[in-house]
Amino acid sequence: MTGTCYQVMHDTHYAYDAPVSLAKQLAHLWPRPCAWQLCRNQSLEVSPLPTQRIDEYDVFGNPLTRLAFERPHDALTVKARLEVEVLPRRAPDTRLSPAWEMARDSLCYSGQPMPRDLLKACRFRFESPFIRLKKHFVAFADSCFPPNMPLLEGAQVLMGKIFNEFTYDANATGVATPLLEVLEQRRGVCQDFAHLMIACLRSRGLAARYVSGYLLTQPPPGKPRLIGADASHAWVAVYCPANGWVEFDPTNNVRPGLGHVTLAWGRDFSDVSPLRGVILGGGSHDPEVQVTVTPIEEALPTG
């Protein structure tokens, strides 16, 4: 089975107002091993050199790199370089999925032993740091889930509703903007739209998880692909007992495919932030992030 190969460059730079004496960082910058993608090559350049580096997996099975810096520094640069092949995946017929009520009930505690897949899906039914379960989210998605609506069909309708009723606005929200405010303003970014769709599904008793990764963007006709013009992306996976996890991208109203590179998944953004940590010192600082996703045949030297 032939896929599409990409080169991904993800550069993060911190310039601190004051020296940082100690720091620890968690990096989700390696692509997750999946049935639909293969990582052909990967490298991580860190400056200054960390005093300790540990590569492991987090509780959700995502590759995780722990970095510790125990010497003073006034800047931090982390450069990830990846070559990833994304493979075609078969899309289920959303109309043939079980009714959403049946999927919801299968995730409820019954006092009987639960299959492993269902048990693992249950952790994605509840509130998480950025996602609350509210009646407002149930009401917003009511028209998408009438009685006996096939689960995946309802999820697809919900994806389209968010796409059509919300405006992408990079200046409208921040990382900590409450979802109820996003719902009221009808503006946000991919992180907000993914969180909103998950909140609508979980508030109905369904299991949904947050997926982070990269999306290939197409330059205008006749224009070159810009270095650093892309960004990290986010979408949603819904658990369907008959089909497993099925993904939806509410920002673009598409089912993720060959243009989506999967990095990690968790309950929400807080579980899979590309780079986060704690520092002693530093003063105020904001990261500069550049992401470029390029088909291998167009790839530029990474020098």
Side-chain angles (χ1 to χ4, degrees):
M1 185 164 51
T2 303
T4 303
C5 295
Y6 299 103
Q7 179 189 79
V8 180
M9 299 184 292
H10 188 142
D11 296 347
T12 305
H13 179 71
Y14 287 92
Y16 302 115
D17 287 345
V20 172
S21 55
L22 293 170
K24 290 191 175 182
Q25 301 283 349
L26 299 179
H28 284 99
L29 292 170
W30 295 146
R32 185 185 178 104
C34 300
W36 57 87
Q37 73 176 22
L38 301 169
C39 186
R40 301 296 190 187
N41 193 20
Q42 60 188 37
S43 66
L44 191 67
E45 300 175 19
V46 183
S47 178
L49 290 175
T51 52
Q52 184 182 51
R53 170 177 169 173
I54 300 174
D55 291 296
E56 58 183 8
Y57 291 89
D58 68 14
V59 69
F60 301 105
N62 303 304
L64 174 67
T65 300
R66 297 180 182 271
L67 303 170
F69 303 87
E70 298 174 351
R71 290 183 288 270
H73 54 283
D74 55 16
L76 173 65
T77 299
V78 179
K79 296 183 177 182
R81 298 290 182 268
L82 312 171
E83 290 185 7
V84 183
E85 181 179 5
V86 181
L87 305 171
R89 38 181 159 163
R90 185 176 177 182
D93 188 333
T94 58
R95 298 166 298 178
L96 300 181
S97 59
W100 71 266
E101 300 96 332
M102 176 181 170
R104 176 200 62 197
D105 294 346
S106 71
L107 293 164
C108 294
Y109 177 72
S110 65
Q112 300 298 319
M114 184 177 284
R116 181 185 176 94
D117 288 348
L118 278 174
L119 190 61
K120 291 176 68 175
C122 282
R123 66 174 133 177
F124 297 101
R125 290 183 59 217
F126 307 108
E127 289 192 343
S128 54
F130 287 158
I131 297 174
R132 297 288 179 259
L133 307 187
K134 302 286 186 180
K135 62 182 181 181
H136 305 78
F137 303 128
V138 175
F140 174 76
D142 256 349
S143 62
C144 308
F145 292 97
N148 298 315
M149 178 68 142
L151 168 59
L152 298 182
E153 188 75 0
Q156 185 152 298
V157 173
L158 175 59
M159 173 178 70
K161 180 178 176 68
I162 293 172
F163 176 79
N164 289 316
E165 296 186 14
F166 286 71
T167 300
Y168 188 95
D169 184 348
N171 299 313
T173 59
V175 173
T177 301
L179 266 183
L180 287 177
E181 185 176 325
V182 174
L183 181 61
E184 180 181 354
Q185 292 183 353
R186 294 294 205 272
R187 310 180 81 82
V189 295
C190 59
Q191 174 186 303
D192 301 308
F193 303 152
H195 281 162
L196 175 62
M197 184 169 177
I198 292 170
C200 291
L201 293 163
R202 289 187 192 166
S203 294
R204 197 166 289 272
L206 300 165
R209 66 191 182 196
Y210 182 99
V211 185
S212 72
Y214 305 109
L215 176 66
L216 176 70
T217 57
Q218 298 296 339
K223 299 293 184 180
R225 195 177 304 280
L226 298 178
I227 302 301
D230 298 322
S232 297
H233 192 48
W235 57 97
V236 176
V238 182
Y239 183 77
C240 177
N243 305 96
W245 291 96
V246 181
E247 296 185 352
F248 299 86
D249 180 351
T251 303
N252 298 290
N253 196 27
V254 298
R255 296 282 306 282
L258 290 176
H260 290 70
V261 177
T262 302
L263 201 60
W265 58 60
R267 297 166 303 165
D268 60 32
F269 174 77
S270 67
D271 288 329
V272 296
S273 173
L275 190 66
R276 65 185 176 91
V278 293
I279 63 174
L280 182 60
S284 62
H285 56 276
D286 290 308
E288 295 180 7
V289 181
Q290 289 189 327
V291 176
T292 305
V293 181
T294 310
I296 286 292
E297 62 269 18
E298 300 178 20
L300 298 175
T302 60

